[in-house]
Amino acid sequence: SVILLVLGQAEAARAVIHVDANAGGTSADGSSWENAFTGLQPALEAAEPGSVIWVAKGTYYPTAEYGGTGDRYKSFQMKNNVAIYGGFDPVGGDIGFEDRDWVNNPTILSGDIGAVGDESDNTYHVVHANDGTVLDGFTITGGNANGEDSDANGGGMVNSTSSPTIRNCIFENNDAANFGGAMFNSQGSPHIEDCIFRNNSAHSGGAMVNDLG
């Protein structure tokens, strides 16, 4: 469509950082698909406001602690005004913005960082959003917010006083002891478009809770 073409041209004009779990280049600096970062966290650390991150299909796990100490505090901390797109497949030829296919090239952000299938050691939150963040074309899964206070809300994603754009994403199999199994919005107003929420659970609001304070 014309809208997609214009969006693709605009994104291609921005500084692109590549991420591919299966990349085998020697540089691993994100400058190309061949030399892509193999994890999302290094790409987030390298990103500047206005950067775009393209992520190839595969499963990615958070490695940086946020809001506390210990493995369960690991999450993907989005950056202000950085857009992150999934659904690419360098091997299959889906290497340009207009080629990406988030349905057939699932790009997964998973909180299942410990024993596989044992949610007791999963991250409290898979993603923390920020203003200007765009998250487009991902599956967010495996968050288990069963901690204390704020760590009992938003297993999949927490938006705290932030207003990100979340598009073409699937939130599934995330849990929270209190509010918002998939997403908890605290004094924020995210724009959510063409997303699917399924098999999420919480004491209140398995899919989402909005706390406007």
Side-chain angles (χ1 to χ4, degrees), residues 17-21 33 39-41 43-44 52-61 76 78 82-88 97 100-110 126-127 133-142 156-157 165-172 174 183 192-198:
I17 299 171
H18 301 79
V19 178
D20 181 359
W33 284 122
L40 179 54
Q41 185 59 41
L44 289 168
V52 174
I53 300 174
W54 290 0
V55 187
K57 69 176 184 178
T59 302
Y60 300 86
Y61 302 93
F76 292 111
M78 304 291 100
V82 172
I84 308 169
Y85 295 95
F88 297 92
F97 190 86
R100 70 190 189 103
D101 184 343
W102 53 86
V103 176
N104 292 309
N105 300 327
T107 311
I108 302 166
L109 305 182
S110 174
V126 181
V127 176
T133 295
V134 175
L135 192 67
D136 187 325
F138 289 88
T139 295
I140 296 90
T141 186
M157 175 180 285
T165 296
I166 314 299
R167 187 187 301 119
N168 302 314
C169 287
I170 298 172
F171 290 81
E172 64 180 357
N174 299 287
M183 184 183 297
I192 301 171
E193 180 180 343
D194 294 332
C195 290
I196 296 172
F197 293 78
R198 62 190 179 203

Side-chain angles (χ1 to χ4, degrees), residues 86-99:
F88 297 92
D89 180 9
V91 175
D94 297 334
I95 59 174
F97 190 86
E98 68 280 3
D99 303 316

Side-chain angles (χ1 to χ4, degrees):
S1 68
V2 173
I3 293 177
L4 181 58
L5 177 61
V6 171
L7 179 59
Q9 291 172 340
E11 294 305 324
R14 299 170 71 180
V16 176
I17 299 171
H18 301 79
V19 178
D20 181 359
N22 297 309
T26 56
S27 297
D29 58 4
S31 59
S32 65
W33 284 122
E34 180 182 3
N35 293 310
F37 289 117
T38 55
L40 179 54
Q41 185 59 41
L44 289 168
E45 292 172 0
E48 300 288 344
S51 296
V52 174
I53 300 174
W54 290 0
V55 187
K57 69 176 184 178
T59 302
Y60 300 86
Y61 302 93
T63 57
E65 297 171 0
Y66 180 78
T69 302
D71 285 347
R72 299 200 66 196
Y73 287 97
K74 292 178 178 177
S75 67
F76 292 111
Q77 173 68 22
M78 304 291 100
K79 279 190 170 180
N80 288 346
N81 300 315
V82 172
I84 308 169
Y85 295 95
F88 297 92
D89 180 9
V91 175
D94 297 334
I95 59 174
F97 190 86
E98 68 280 3
D99 303 316
R100 70 190 189 103
D101 184 343
W102 53 86
V103 176
N104 292 309
N105 300 327
T107 311
I108 302 166
L109 305 182
S110 174
D112 192 4
I113 61 171
V116 177
D118 179 2
E119 69 172 14
S120 67
D121 57 6
N122 288 17
T123 59
Y124 289 128
H125 322 283
V126 181
V127 176
H128 281 86
N130 254 316
D131 277 336
T133 295
V134 175
L135 192 67
D136 187 325
F138 289 88
T139 295
I140 296 90
T141 186
N144 183 25
N146 66 343
E148 302 293 330
D149 301 321
S150 61
D151 293 318
N153 307 320
M157 175 180 285
V158 173
N159 301 312
S160 181
T161 66
S162 59
S163 302
T165 296
I166 314 299
R167 187 187 301 119
N168 302 314
C169 287
I170 298 172
F171 290 81
E172 64 180 357
N173 301 324
N174 299 287
D175 303 309
N178 286 343
F179 306 122
M183 184 183 297
F184 180 70
N185 304 310
S186 176
Q187 301 181 49
S189 55
H191 174 79
I192 301 171
E193 180 180 343
D194 294 332
C195 290
I196 296 172
F197 293 78
R198 62 190 179 203
N199 299 327
N200 302 285
S201 66
H203 175 73
S204 180
M208 185 187 308
V209 166
N210 300 312
D211 180 7
L212 302 180

